[in-house]
Amino acid sequence: MEMEDQMESQKRTGMSKEALISERTGSLGCCGWFIVILVGLFTVLFFPITIWFCLKIVQEYERAVIFRLGRITDRKAKGPGIFFILPCTDSFIKVDLRTVSFDIPPQEILTKDSVTVSVDGVVYFRVNDPIASVANVSNADFATRLLAQTTLRNVLGTKNLSEVLSDREGIAHSMQTNLDEATDNWGIKVERVEIKDVKLPHQLQRAMAAEAEAAREARAKVIAAEGEMNASRALKEASLVIAESPSALQLRYLQTLNTIAAEKNSTIIFPLPMDVISHFIRK
C-alpha cells in the first residue's frame, strides 16, 4: 500500500509539473508572433553579423533554459553543445547539473527526552529538472540549504538521545526522503544526507561517563563474585578428593615445597606431619 501511495504521489507530482510547464510554454499571441517573425527577418538580412549573437554554447554539465518574450520555448532544456537563439527576443539561463554539497550549520536541537544537543550534517544534491529549478523557485540552491536546516530540526525533534547517538543512518535516510519529496517540485534531486557530528553538553558528558564507569565497576564486582564462588566450589571438591587418600595430602605438601624452591626463596617452611611429632612426644 505504501509503495502504491508513493507511486500515485509521484504521478500527481509529475502531472502537476507538466501542467505548470505547459502553462509557461503557451502561445505567444499574435503580437508576439509578429515580433518574432520581424526579428527573424532582420536576423536573415544581417546574417553575417547576427550569427555571432545567435550562436551559443553550453558545457557538457550545463543546460540552457530559453525564454522567448518571457515564456519558456520548450519543455526540454537545450544542450550540451551549440544552440541558436533569436537576438532581442530570446534570453537564456544556464543551469549546472553537477552534484553540489554543502554543510548544514550546527543546529541546537531539543530531543524528545528534553536533552539539548548540537548536530550538523552534509547534504549532496543536484538539479534533476533544469526548467523546474528556474521556473518554480527563485533560488533553488539557497532554498534547499534552508530546507535542510529545518528538516534536520524536525527529524531530530522526534528522536530520543539514544536514537540520535546510535541510529544515524536511519536519521539520514529519513532526512533524505523528506528533502527529496519537498524539493521535487523545484527540480532538485537529493542524493545523500549524512550526520557529521553530535555534540553533547559537558555536564551531560560527565554524567554519562560516570554512569558508564559505575556500570563497569558493577560488572567487575559481579564477575569477581562469580570467580570466588567457582573457586570455593573447586576447593571443596579438591578437599573431598584429598580426604579420601591421606598420601595425597603429603604429595600436595611436596608440590608446594617444589613451587617455593623454584622461586629462589631463602626461607622454606617445611610442614611436619602430626603423627611424626606425636611419636617423639610419647617418648
Side-chain angles (χ1 to χ4, degrees):
M1 292 295 294
E2 293 180 356
M3 294 294 295
E4 293 178 357
D5 294 339
Q6 291 179 359
M7 293 177 64
E8 290 179 0
S9 62
Q10 291 177 358
K11 289 180 180 179
R12 289 194 297 268
T13 304
M15 292 174 64
S16 62
K17 278 186 180 180
E18 293 179 358
L20 289 173
I21 294 173
S22 62
E23 289 178 0
R24 293 187 175 93
T25 56
S27 177
L28 297 176
C30 297
C31 184
W33 282 113
F34 175 76
I35 295 173
V36 169
I37 293 172
L38 185 62
V39 172
L41 292 176
F42 276 104
T43 303
V44 173
L45 291 176
F46 299 97
F47 177 73
I49 300 174
T50 55
I51 186 62
W52 304 107
F53 299 96
C54 297
L55 187 64
K56 302 295 178 182
I57 300 174
V58 292
Q59 304 296 330
E60 179 68 30
Y61 53 84
E62 293 177 334
R63 297 295 184 271
V65 180
I66 302 176
F67 293 87
R68 178 165 295 163
L69 296 177
R71 290 183 174 273
I72 299 175
T73 59
D74 196 355
R75 294 186 180 183
K76 186 178 180 181
K78 300 294 183 182
I82 301 174
F83 64 95
F84 295 90
I85 63 172
L86 292 176
C88 301
T89 60
D90 291 359
S91 62
F92 69 96
I93 298 176
K94 289 184 180 181
V95 179
D96 197 331
L97 301 183
R98 291 177 293 184
T99 299
V100 179
S101 62
F102 67 90
D103 293 328
I104 302 176
Q107 304 291 314
E108 294 288 340
I109 299 168
L110 186 66
T111 60
K112 189 177 181 180
D113 50 355
S114 301
V115 178
T116 303
V117 295
S118 178
V119 183
D120 58 352
V122 60
V123 178
Y124 300 88
F125 71 95
R126 60 181 175 84
V127 176
N128 190 33
D129 188 349
I131 296 178
S133 66
V134 172
N136 294 348
V137 62
S138 60
N139 191 335
D141 182 87
F142 184 68
T144 304
R145 292 172 187 267
L146 293 180
L147 185 61
Q149 298 179 22
T150 57
T151 303
L152 179 62
R153 288 177 174 272
N154 294 335
V155 171
L156 293 182
T158 60
K159 302 292 184 179
N160 296 325
L161 178 61
S162 58
E163 295 175 348
V164 173
L165 296 175
S166 61
D167 192 19
R168 293 192 179 187
E169 293 183 359
I171 294 172
H173 180 70
S174 178
M175 281 190 60
Q176 180 181 353
T177 303
N178 294 339
L179 281 174
D180 202 15
E181 291 178 357
T183 58
D184 189 44
N185 290 330
W186 301 344
I188 299 296
K189 173 64 178 176
V190 179
E191 295 182 339
R192 191 178 182 88
V193 177
E194 292 291 341
I195 303 298
K196 291 176 60 178
D197 191 15
V198 178
K199 296 181 180 179
L200 303 177
H202 294 291
Q203 295 180 354
L204 181 60
Q205 291 180 13
R206 289 194 294 268
M208 293 178 66
E211 182 183 359
E213 184 178 0
R216 287 194 297 270
E217 290 179 356
R219 287 195 298 268
K221 290 180 180 179
V222 171
I223 293 172
E226 291 178 354
E228 291 291 339
M229 183 177 62
N230 294 332
S232 63
R233 289 176 179 175
L235 289 174
K236 180 182 177 181
E237 294 176 358
S239 64
L240 293 176
V241 173
I242 293 174
E244 295 176 357
S245 176
S247 60
L249 183 61
Q250 301 296 328
L251 293 175
R252 181 61 180 167
Y253 286 159
L254 295 175
Q255 185 180 3
T256 304
L257 289 175
N258 187 22
T259 303
I260 295 174
E263 296 179 356
K264 298 181 181 180
N265 292 326
S266 59
T267 302
I268 297 177
I269 300 174
F270 181 76
L272 190 64
M274 294 299 296
D275 54 353
V276 177
I277 296 176
S278 62
H279 179 70
F280 285 103
I281 291 174
R282 291 173 184 177
K283 290 183 179 181

